[in-house]
Amino acid sequence: MAERRVRVRFAPSPTGALHIGGVRTALYNYLFARQHGGDLVFRIEDTDSTRFVPGAEEYIIESFKWLGIQFDEGVSFGGDKGPYRQSERRDIYKKYVQQLLDNGRAYMAFDTPQELEQKRSEVQNFQYDCHTRQQMRNSLTLPKEDVDRLIAEGEQYVVRFKVEPGQEILVNDLIRGEVRVKSDICDDKVLYKSADELPTYHLANIVDDHLMEISHVIRGEEWLPSAPLHVMLYQAFGWQDSMPQFAHLPLLLKPDGKGKLSKRDGDRLGFPVFPLRWTDPKTGDVSRGYREDGYFPEAVINFLALLGWNPGGEQEIFSLDELVPLFDITKCSKAGAKFAYEKAVWFNHEYILKKSNEEIAKLFEPIVREHCPNETSERILEVTRMMKDRVSFVHELWPLCSFFFEAPTSYDEKTAKKRWKTAQGEEPGSAQQLTELIDVLEAIDDFSLENQERIVHAWIEEKGYKLGNIMNAWRLTLVGEGKGPGMFDISAFLGKEETIERMRRAIRKLEMRNEE
């Protein structure tokens, strides 16, 4: 028998923004498919028409485009096993619903919502199953003529799967091993609703996976309870030989406390849980996205890949291509993975360091131009070279180094109190020392970093001044506070004229404040 081609799928529902946990599921499917030379299918599961949200499908596709996760076929990607949107496959599902009804593996149930609610109030922990279905209004308890009449009269019904009691259902999971479940505890899940002529997730999922020749189903842990039903459905259709191999991934957990990661956790702790910014079309509420928060897609991919799996060893930085040969679905953790969002920030910083100065400068340039429209690309590149290793996000560069492009208009009071000295005995105050330094700088023709450093250091030594006092006060005059790279890096960048102008302005303002 020929070895089966690996085909996996990612099948989200268009009910809103794509959760970051879904992104990880898609990533693991992608890595598995590429590792085995297989196909990744993108399917939209929109059988629940009441939960459809306009724009969600487009949002999901744009998210994966930004992340660099490429699909081989599916909605918007083409392929010969479509349609790939479940709402366009109604007639296909009806055929298989009828097959189950004809084979006695499913039945019609006419119970109204009120009748079901009444039964729940009468029976503690009620579920529609092999123990209770004979008490309900369905095609197993009603005469055939009544069933035909109800259908002819347009009575709404659902089709339920008939779970046979006394069986042991075996689910082979690549991560969790053998999972055995007694069929007696399984309820008769709804497979089809006549109201909208659409199947539920359970039937559509099985039919689509079979017809699209899906070999492996890699999905979140939350779907593990439905796996026994899916195994029974494959058996009911006689598709045992084409049953996919299951792998149920561990949940992403709250960074603090217990439970599944939610949007509320992100709102509470200040991090995104969606790949892109999302605006709820109903409420107008805006949720943060990793892209708009300044994360690189490579950093997000790297971060997510190591949540619940790792290749061993000390290395942490991996490109998407590097992850492909290393990925091993069987080595995923069974336990949930805590969403340590601070690590995502660390990864982003590491990718800033990995990227060239030119690439970061190109991203920084529009931010600088908002404040200084005429600033040159060369100067922006030079500042990037000096400062990029100090930030985790490109947008953090401007508040950190705006002083390179704009002279300070005020001087940090705390820094000034500590660094701007008054005269102490024979030791002149900062104002006099920096006035002398201005004279030294004005006399320098070659204002390069190296030449400035040599001359200024010689002057400080000759005068017997304290190096720290000079440098700290000088920094305050050029920067406005106590931050930035080496002083000669700053002065060389600013040039002689701008450096001296800033020093004179600062001396005047700081001395006036001292007099007050």
Side-chain angles (χ1 to χ4, degrees):
M1 183 175 178
E3 187 174 346
R4 189 176 181 187
R5 180 175 177 81
V6 167
R7 285 176 59 81
V8 296
R9 46 73 167 177
F10 182 68
S13 298
T15 56
L18 177 65
H19 190 274
I20 201 70
V23 174
R24 188 194 60 167
T25 299
L27 171 61
Y28 282 11
N29 274 279
Y30 172 90
L31 295 175
F32 189 84
R34 293 294 174 266
Q35 185 178 73
H36 294 89
D39 305 315
L40 177 59
V41 179
F42 180 66
R43 192 169 73 212
I44 289 292
E45 297 191 343
D46 57 347
T47 56
D48 190 345
S49 56
T50 62
R51 297 179 63 214
F52 172 78
V53 174
E57 182 181 306
E58 295 77 8
Y59 172 94
I60 294 168
I61 293 172
E62 185 184 353
S63 295
F64 288 121
K65 185 176 180 181
W66 176 67
L67 288 161
I69 296 177
Q70 297 179 336
F71 291 85
D72 299 295
E73 63 183 78
V75 174
S76 84
F77 299 102
D80 59 3
K81 291 181 169 56
Y84 295 93
R85 191 178 286 107
Q86 288 185 338
S87 60
E88 299 172 3
R89 298 169 64 84
R90 294 172 191 261
D91 293 339
I92 296 173
Y93 302 129
K94 286 180 181 178
K95 168 187 170 183
Y96 291 100
V97 170
Q98 193 59 51
Q99 181 178 327
L100 291 174
L101 289 169
D102 293 344
N103 293 342
R105 299 307 307 272
Y107 59 94
M108 297 178 183
F110 297 90
D111 314 279
T112 66
Q114 294 77 16
E115 289 170 337
L116 289 170
E117 191 57 41
Q118 176 64 32
K119 184 61 70 173
R120 291 189 189 100
S121 66
E122 296 172 1
V123 180
Q124 188 175 10
N125 300 322
F126 169 79
Q127 69 173 17
Y128 212 121
D129 58 19
C130 61
H131 307 291
T132 60
R133 58 191 175 215
Q134 292 302 126
Q135 308 165 27
M136 309 303 290
R137 200 159 61 95
N138 54 55
S139 58
L140 300 177
T141 60
L142 296 172
K144 183 178 185 304
E145 55 269 25
D146 287 356
V147 172
D148 293 341
R149 176 180 55 78
L150 289 171
I151 294 174
E153 292 175 353
E155 184 88 7
Q156 289 187 4
Y157 63 89
V158 298
V159 174
R160 291 182 177 271
F161 184 63
K162 186 181 179 185
V163 177
E164 301 296 342
Q167 297 182 357
E168 184 177 67
I169 312 305
L170 173 63
V171 179
N172 282 309
D173 192 279
L174 287 170
I175 297 172
R176 298 162 197 283
E178 288 189 355
V179 179
R180 296 178 183 271
V181 177
K182 297 289 186 182
S183 64
D184 299 68
I185 68 170
C186 299
D187 59 334
D188 294 355
K189 292 290 187 189
V190 174
L191 302 180
Y192 179 84
K193 298 178 181 179
S194 67
D196 54 10
E197 297 187 304
L198 279 172
T200 62
Y201 161 82
H202 300 292
L203 179 73
N205 178 272
I206 296 306
V207 170
D208 290 346
D209 285 348
H210 174 71
L211 296 180
M212 295 178 188
E213 300 178 6
I214 300 302
S215 65
H216 296 76
V217 171
I218 303 170
R219 58 189 180 184
E221 181 185 37
E222 64 267 30
W223 295 114
L224 184 58
S226 66
L229 170 63
H230 295 172
V231 170
M232 287 187 281
L233 277 166
Y234 270 97
Q235 294 170 344
F237 282 120
W239 295 340
Q240 294 94 322
D241 291 342
S242 68
M243 188 184 304
Q245 179 70 68
F246 293 103
H248 289 89
L249 303 172
L251 291 174
L252 295 184
L253 303 177
K254 298 174 182 291
D256 56 349
K258 297 180 180 179
K260 183 180 177 182
L261 176 71
S262 70
K263 178 182 177 297
R264 287 187 297 276
D265 297 313
D267 293 341
R268 176 171 56 88
L269 296 172
F271 64 88
V273 295
F274 301 140
L276 314 180
R277 180 183 294 136
W278 169 255
T279 302
D280 189 306
K282 293 181 180 178
T283 65
D285 291 344
V286 178
S287 300
R288 294 165 59 179
Y290 277 86
R291 181 179 67 182
E292 290 75 15
D293 268 20
Y295 287 84
F296 295 113
E298 309 99 301
V300 176
I301 289 290
N302 201 154
F303 167 62
L304 290 177
L306 303 182
L307 282 177
W309 168 83
N310 73 77
E314 298 298 318
Q315 183 178 344
E316 292 188 88
I317 305 299
F318 298 95
S319 69
L320 195 54
D321 289 342
E322 288 171 333
L323 287 166
V324 169
L326 296 171
F327 185 68
D328 185 347
I329 191 73
T330 66
K331 298 295 174 58
C332 286
S333 169
K334 297 182 182 67
K338 184 166 287 191
F339 195 81
Y341 62 92
E342 302 96 336
K343 191 70 173 180
V345 175
W346 179 85
F347 272 110
N348 213 63
H349 174 72
E350 292 299 309
Y351 275 89
I352 280 185
L353 298 182
K354 276 174 63 73
K355 291 178 181 293
S356 69
N357 296 329
E358 288 77 12
E359 189 172 355
I360 301 300
K362 189 174 181 180
L363 297 172
F364 184 37
E365 191 163 316
I367 300 173
V368 176
R369 293 269 167 77
E370 286 181 16
H371 304 272
C372 308
N374 299 320
E375 193 54 78
T376 67
S377 299
E378 291 75 18
R379 280 167 53 86
I380 295 170
L381 175 60
E382 181 60 19
V383 170
T384 302
R385 180 192 65 77
M386 286 189 276
M387 303 295 286
K388 77 169 190 176
D389 63 342
R390 300 173 182 229
V391 298
S392 296
F393 301 94
V394 172
H395 62 73
E396 291 176 341
L397 280 169
W398 177 256
L400 187 68
C401 57
S402 59
F403 64 86
F404 280 109
F405 308 103
E406 295 181 334
T409 56
S410 62
Y411 302 90
D412 180 63
E413 189 171 336
K414 187 176 179 181
T415 305
K417 187 175 181 180
K418 184 177 181 181
R419 302 302 188 189
W420 193 256
K421 307 291 186 181
T422 56
Q424 298 287 333
E426 295 183 0
E427 179 82 10
S430 296
Q432 181 180 330
Q433 290 177 330
L434 264 66
T435 300
E436 293 177 21
L437 178 56
I438 289 174
D439 293 336
V440 173
L441 296 176
E442 281 188 319
I444 299 176
D445 293 325
D446 174 6
F447 212 68
S448 65
L449 183 155
E450 296 79 10
N451 198 47
Q452 279 189 73
E453 186 171 19
R454 179 181 60 80
I455 294 173
V456 171
H457 274 243
W459 167 74
I460 293 173
E461 187 174 348
E462 177 190 337
K463 298 290 290 187
Y465 292 153
K466 293 178 181 177
L467 179 64
N469 287 351
I470 298 294
M471 292 301 169
N472 289 326
W474 192 20
R475 181 180 301 278
L476 181 63
T477 66
L478 299 188
V479 177
E481 53 186 306
K483 66 179 183 181
M487 280 309 304
F488 298 105
D489 291 281
I490 298 174
S491 58
F493 176 86
L494 294 176
K496 182 195 292 191
E497 184 178 340
E498 176 67 15
T499 295
I500 292 173
E501 174 58 31
R502 289 191 185 191
M503 292 172 70
R504 285 178 171 152
R505 186 186 310 121
I507 292 169
R508 287 195 301 270
K509 287 194 173 185
L510 289 166
E511 285 302 289
M512 284 174 60
R513 186 162 64 179
N514 283 347
E515 290 171 3
E516 292 173 0

